Amino acid sequence: MKISIYGKGGIGKSTISCNISIALARRGKKILQIGCDPKHDSTFTLTGFLIPTIIDTLQLKDYHYEDVWPEDVIYQGYGGVDCVEAGGPPAGAGCGGYVVGETVKLLKELNAFFEYDVILFDVLGDVVCGGFAAPLNYSDYCLIVTDNGFDALFAANRITASVREKSRTHPLRLAGLIGNRTQKRDLIDKYVEACPMPVLEVLPLIEDIRVSRVKGKTLFELSEQEKQLNYVCDFYLNIVDQLLSNPEGVVPKELADKQLFQLLSDFYLTKDNLTKTTEQPNLNNLDFLLL
């Protein structure tokens, strides 16, 4: 199984990816997590340091694939999870899709790409071009991380469009949404009502999740000493159990931008929500966007 995790920048994809990888390992699976971000910090909480990237290693070897060994690019992290960082092109030059393609090519050369039960791609920020969507070419499922806010759901809707487009030529399905760092899920529910897709889990606004990233450890590792965190780990185990059931998934149909803005304005302009919501959107801006 190959899974790509997408979502708005800063939404917590890497934290979720690392904990899902550990949860999969706890279920007895052999896991490879591939970070697909120039920051190359996807696997930091698994390994405890910034591992060398594929692209940097290839440059050192003058792109002689035969001179690269598995131990040059694959590092084992906590829980037995193997880790790779694709890296990225220089700022303002090159394409992220090329880097992902080179990463997969090298892993195949090393006979490593098909040795795992699950390969998880942790992909940078919003999908804005075909290059960023490249991991979907190799994936069975896409997971989208969002919160209960409009910006994250707007990004989720763009990713949904990318999944739909890729599913025309690849055996790709959307496994569902993961809500992260949110006290409510009412806007998430409104979105999936208009754009049907599964919601695998909604993680509440738990400070320990943020702190775990700062400490450079997964929640599973922290829970070995702090037993009160076990209940948080159960959220990730629940996601994994759904994935391991080989869900049918969906080929989603994204909302048009105007529909999405209309959904937001309708939601916030209802009488009940106006009285309950302390942070209201700038309705003048919404009116402008709906023109």
Side-chain angles (χ1 to χ4, degrees):
M1 182 186 295
K2 296 173 181 61
I3 303 168
S4 288
I5 297 185
Y6 282 84
K8 177 181 175 293
I11 202 67
K13 294 181 301 298
S14 293
T15 300
I16 284 179
S17 296
C18 290
N19 284 290
I20 285 179
S21 289
I22 296 297
L24 285 162
R26 292 284 173 92
R27 293 301 192 234
K29 303 302 179 182
K30 185 178 182 183
I31 310 302
L32 174 67
Q33 180 169 320
I34 302 176
C36 303
D37 191 322
K39 297 195 308 296
H40 60 94
D41 63 347
S42 166
T43 59
F44 174 72
T45 58
L46 291 169
T47 61
F49 67 103
L50 296 177
I51 65 177
T53 69
I54 291 274
I55 205 70
D56 289 341
T57 302
L58 285 173
Q59 286 175 346
L60 287 173
K61 305 285 186 177
D62 292 326
Y63 289 89
H64 292 162
Y65 287 81
E66 67 276 8
D67 293 335
V68 180
W69 297 89
E71 56 267 25
D72 293 329
V73 292
I74 301 175
Y75 293 77
Q76 189 170 93
Y78 171 79
V81 174
D82 282 348
C83 302
V84 163
E85 290 286 352
C95 174
Y98 167 79
V99 175
V100 172
E102 289 298 298
T103 297
V104 172
K105 178 181 176 182
L106 177 60
L107 291 173
K108 287 181 177 178
E109 291 278 343
L110 297 174
N111 295 316
F113 195 66
F114 300 105
E115 290 187 357
Y116 295 90
D117 298 312
V118 181
I119 292 180
L120 188 150
F121 295 92
D122 174 21
V123 190
L124 74 165
D126 313 16
V127 173
V128 293
C129 75
F132 294 140
L136 296 176
N137 295 336
Y138 311 101
S139 298
D140 303 301
Y141 293 111
C142 175
L143 295 175
I144 302 176
V145 182
T146 185
D147 60 21
N148 201 51
F150 178 70
D151 287 343
L153 285 168
F154 186 86
N157 194 59
R158 286 290 180 91
I159 297 161
T160 294
S162 191
V163 172
R164 175 189 55 76
E165 188 62 32
K166 290 291 185 181
S167 68
R168 297 176 185 270
T169 54
H170 298 78
L172 171 70
R173 295 294 182 268
L174 177 63
L177 290 181
I178 299 173
N180 191 38
R181 297 189 311 209
T182 180
Q183 292 179 326
K184 297 182 179 180
R185 56 177 289 170
D186 41 9
L187 194 52
I188 292 175
D189 289 338
K190 195 75 174 176
Y191 175 72
V192 299
E193 180 183 343
C195 184
M197 63 184 68
V199 178
L200 301 186
E201 185 63 272
V202 177
L203 284 80
L205 192 61
I206 299 173
E207 181 67 6
D208 289 313
I209 296 178
R210 186 190 67 82
V211 171
S212 71
R213 182 74 175 174
V214 174
K215 290 182 177 179
K217 297 180 183 296
T218 63
L219 283 156
F220 285 89
E221 185 173 2
L222 288 176
S223 69
E224 291 181 358
Q225 303 299 324
E226 303 174 42
K227 301 300 182 184
Q228 72 275 14
L229 296 179
N230 283 327
Y231 85 99
V232 188
C233 299
D234 288 340
F235 286 106
Y236 301 103
L237 289 167
N238 179 45
I239 294 169
V240 161
D241 288 340
Q242 293 177 73
L243 292 173
L244 293 179
S245 70
N246 292 307
E248 183 177 348
V250 297
V251 176
K253 178 64 172 71
E254 74 282 0
L255 301 181
D257 287 350
K258 186 174 181 178
Q259 287 179 283
L260 196 56
F261 281 108
Q262 187 67 57
L263 180 148
L264 175 70
S265 61
D266 289 347
F267 176 81
Y268 280 110
L269 286 172
T270 61
K271 183 177 179 180
D272 286 345
N273 283 313
L274 279 174
T275 58
K276 293 178 182 177
T277 305
T278 57
E279 293 184 11
Q280 299 174 19
N282 186 326
L283 300 182
N284 291 327
N285 288 343
L286 287 175
D287 291 339
F288 171 77
L289 289 166
L290 288 167
L291 292 177

